[in-house]
Amino acid sequence: MRVIVLGGSAACPNPRQGCSGYLVSDGTINLLLDCGPGIIPELLAHVSLDDLYGILLSHLHQDHMLDLIPLRYGLKYAPGLRRRHLPVWIPPGGRAFFDALGLTLAHDSDGQTSFFEETYEFLEFDPTAPLALEQWHIRFHRTRHWIPCWAMRLEIPGRGTIAYTADTGWDEQLVSFLRGADLLIIEATLPDDASPAEREGHLTISEAGRMATLIEARQVVLTHYWSNNNFALQLAAAVREFGKPVEIARPGLVLELTERTSP
């Protein structure tokens, strides 16, 4: 079981790094978790479009879904593909959002009512129930963010558990939901001197380290950060809170997942 980081930038791509995108693979299923701007070149370095199982979106802010647009053109026009249609699991209400976006983007040659439908099957997940993808089970938790956003807990029998906070402010219930994960991908958007208003929707770097400690994750990756925010210097704060090394999301980072064993 492995996770490959495709991008870990915040709302705008950092130099040579796209926004949120993570390829989760068990050797059979290749699931793209979020599809932010700038991640497609890195995605295609690891998996062909023919071998992509589908896409799962945490929420509908542009830095988590915008590369669905160029990917749509790849699925439609790239030569030699065996399949040109992908399932995309989206939050409740997402179908109306993409219908409106498709009408905005479509030109006469694209077809006004089928811009996305030509290449995607949008499936609104029910956040109150587990989503079953083959043997995988994915559960959801609403985060503290400015639009509906869903943290995810991916449980793969015999392989371990992946926790993804997506975008969130501090939330004790989220800690409980993600506790004991083998791998935690946690946002670390803000400097520690961020205002209370900013913290309503994002974590500071130190808060990310503190939350990782409470979750008791085996491996931690900090993501959704600004490279021009002295992030490398402030990383020490997260390490102090967590008490052991953490990884910083960067394109091509491969995280091998081994299931936690009982003592």
Side-chain angles (χ1 to χ4, degrees):
M1 192 75 196
R2 64 173 48 184
V3 175
I4 302 175
V5 176
L6 309 177
S9 306
C12 177
N14 292 322
R16 297 183 179 177
Q17 180 183 134
C19 294
S20 294
Y22 314 90
L23 181 63
V24 185
S25 176
D26 66 357
T28 301
I29 294 177
N30 297 297
L31 179 69
L32 176 57
L33 181 56
D34 278 343
C35 191
I39 66 142
I40 296 301
E42 187 67 30
L43 171 70
L44 295 178
H46 300 282
V47 67
S48 71
L49 294 184
D50 282 328
D51 293 327
L52 192 60
Y53 182 87
I55 302 168
L56 175 59
L57 300 183
S58 64
H59 66 299
L60 300 178
H61 271 153
Q62 61 84 26
D63 54 322
H64 292 256
M65 49 64 62
L66 199 61
D67 258 15
L68 285 180
I69 298 171
L71 184 57
R72 177 259 186 196
Y73 285 97
L75 287 166
K76 184 174 180 179
Y77 294 116
L81 294 182
R82 299 189 307 272
R83 57 195 285 248
R84 298 188 177 275
H85 206 257
L86 279 176
V88 184
W89 290 273
I90 56 178
R95 189 180 303 277
F97 173 88
F98 283 109
D99 285 347
L101 181 59
L103 288 173
T104 300
L105 294 169
H107 298 286
D108 291 341
S109 61
D110 291 315
Q112 289 292 312
T113 61
S114 60
F115 182 82
F116 286 116
E117 287 80 359
E118 287 181 288
T119 54
Y120 299 129
E121 178 186 8
F122 286 122
L123 304 164
E124 294 188 4
F125 59 75
D126 176 1
T128 68
L131 173 64
L133 304 180
E134 307 295 338
Q135 73 272 26
W136 298 14
H137 288 84
I138 304 171
R139 294 189 289 133
F140 303 92
H141 176 87
R142 177 80 178 261
T143 71
R144 284 183 57 196
H145 200 48
W146 293 286
I147 68 169
C149 178
W150 306 95
M152 302 175 193
R153 184 182 180 99
L154 291 77
E155 298 173 341
I156 301 93
R159 303 294 183 92
T161 300
I162 299 166
Y164 176 47
T165 66
D167 289 3
T168 188
W170 185 268
D171 179 0
E172 294 288 347
Q173 292 183 339
L174 180 60
V175 172
S176 298
F177 174 72
L178 298 179
R179 183 167 282 124
D182 296 289
L183 170 63
L184 172 65
I185 304 170
I186 184 169
E187 76 128 270
T189 308
L190 301 174
D192 287 338
D193 60 357
S195 69
E198 291 175 301
R199 294 187 187 200
E200 283 300 311
H202 289 295
L203 295 172
T204 68
I205 297 170
S206 288
E207 285 174 333
R210 193 174 315 130
M211 185 174 284
T213 300
L214 294 172
I215 290 171
E216 300 176 341
R218 293 180 65 192
Q219 297 183 73
V220 175
V221 180
L222 301 183
T223 191
H224 205 274
Y225 60 90
W226 297 96
S227 64
N228 60 348
N229 202 25
N230 293 322
F231 185 82
L233 294 176
Q234 296 184 61
L235 177 64
V239 173
R240 282 196 301 272
E241 292 287 349
F242 186 51
K244 55 185 177 181
V246 300
E247 292 278 5
I248 304 175
R250 59 188 186 277
L253 174 64
V254 178
L255 300 145
E256 299 285 349
L257 190 66
T258 56
E259 189 175 21
R260 187 189 301 260
T261 57
S262 301

